[in-house]
Every structure is written in structure tokens, then in C-alpha cells.
Amino acid sequence: MTATLVLIKPDGVRRSLVGEIIRRCEAKGYKVADLKLVEPNREILAKHYAEHEGKPFYEPLMEFMLSGPIVAIRLEGERVIEGFRSLAGATDPTLAAPGTIRGDLSRDWGTKVIQNLVHGSDSEESAARELAIWF
Ligand code: DAT
Ligand code: MG
């Protein structure tokens, strides 16, 4: 069964969008196979975002991800990795298409790091690596 890692980031939990985001995943037909509310430490986040180390938004990204609880979900279904990326929409919520999670529910808040509600693995390799970090 194909699986992906979905994270509902601290902005999504703070804004009480957990139910709405999960609803969209389930309405699409994907299965929530595992789920937990976590307050990750820096070590876990450093592993998760290793590809972004050294980028100008890395520190703000770490601080943002440490700013409150996160919901981690193992989401399953045929082609769910690309399917969830499509549901999430583009990284920049200002440009994300209406109809997507980021396009409908987020915007630019003028912060150093883009706050865009959700993370979704971007490939089979990332999904396997990231699911092992969070579950
Ligand atoms: P995605 O989450 O769409 O896979 P990413 O992996 O390139 O995007 O980046 C991880 C997160 O970092 C992203 O969700 C928001 C933030 N981010 C990415 N590029 C950024 C930038 N140029 N400025 C500020 N924040 C950025
Ligand atoms: Mg990414």
C-alpha cells in the first residue's frame, strides 16, 4: 500500500483546521492509517528538514515548527504521494490554486518563513524516510 507522511503544521493546529484538513484527505478517498499529536524536538525536525539546512529560511522554519503541536498522519492509497501534494497546492499560499488546502485556507502573514498549514512527502524515497522519522 502506498503511504505518505502528512503533517498538519502548528498554524493548522492553532487555527483549528485539523478536522477540515483530514476531511479533505478522507473525502478524496485516502485512508488515515495512523495519526498522532506531537510536539517534536529540534533533532527530529532537523532530520525531517535536512534538505533545507543552510537555506535562509531554515532557522525561521525550525522556530515555526517548534512553536506548537503538530499532527502527524500516515495517509494511504494508490498514488497518495502525488495525490496529497495536489490536494495541498503550491508551497506559496498566495499563489496556491483555490480548491487546494493552501489556496483555500492560508495566506501570506508577512513572516520570514512561509506558513502553509501542511507538509506532504514529495517522492517515494522521502515518504519512506519521513514516515520512519515520525512513526
Ligand atoms: P513544500 O512544503 O511545498 O514541499 P519545500 O520543501 O520547498 O516546500 O519547503 C519546506 C517549507 O519551507 C515550505 O512548506 C515553506 C518553507 N519555505 C520554502 N521555501 C521558502 C522560501 N523561499 N521562503 C520562506 N519559506 C520557505
Ligand atoms: Mg518539501
Side-chain angles (χ1 to χ4, degrees):
M1 177 59 78
T2 307
T4 194
L5 175 76
V6 173
L7 298 178
I8 304 178
K9 298 180 183 181
D11 55 338
V13 176
R14 264 196 294 274
R15 292 182 53 212
S16 301
L17 291 170
V18 172
E20 171 63 18
I21 291 166
I22 293 174
R23 189 196 64 76
R24 289 174 181 231
C25 295
E26 291 185 326
K28 178 81 172 171
Y30 299 131
K31 276 277 167 253
V32 173
D34 206 345
L35 175 152
K36 61 183 175 185
L37 186 78
V38 270
E39 294 199 56
N41 57 31
R42 214 186 149 86
E43 195 184 332
I44 287 177
L45 291 168
K47 271 192 207 164
H48 177 77
Y49 278 130
E51 64 171 314
H52 296 304
E53 207 187 329
K55 293 184 185 170
F57 60 85
Y58 180 77
E59 270 308 319
L61 177 60
M62 297 295 274
E63 272 172 41
F64 166 55
M65 294 296 282
L66 286 165
S67 70
I70 287 173
V71 173
I73 299 165
R74 177 186 172 93
L75 194 66
E76 289 185 352
E78 287 300 319
R79 299 176 68 194
V80 67
I81 297 168
E82 58 190 310
F84 180 77
R85 296 279 296 185
S86 172
L87 280 182
T91 304
D92 179 350
T94 300
L95 304 177
T100 65
I101 292 167
R102 289 163 169 174
D104 285 350
L105 306 174
S106 193
R107 67 166 171 93
D108 193 330
W109 302 95
T111 50
K112 280 183 194 153
V113 70
I114 294 167
Q115 300 191 4
N116 55 13
L117 300 174
V118 289
H119 166 85
S121 310
D122 63 10
S123 66
E124 273 186 43
E125 297 68 40
S126 301
R129 193 183 71 82
E130 293 170 2
L131 283 165
I133 293 171
W134 293 87
F135 287 100

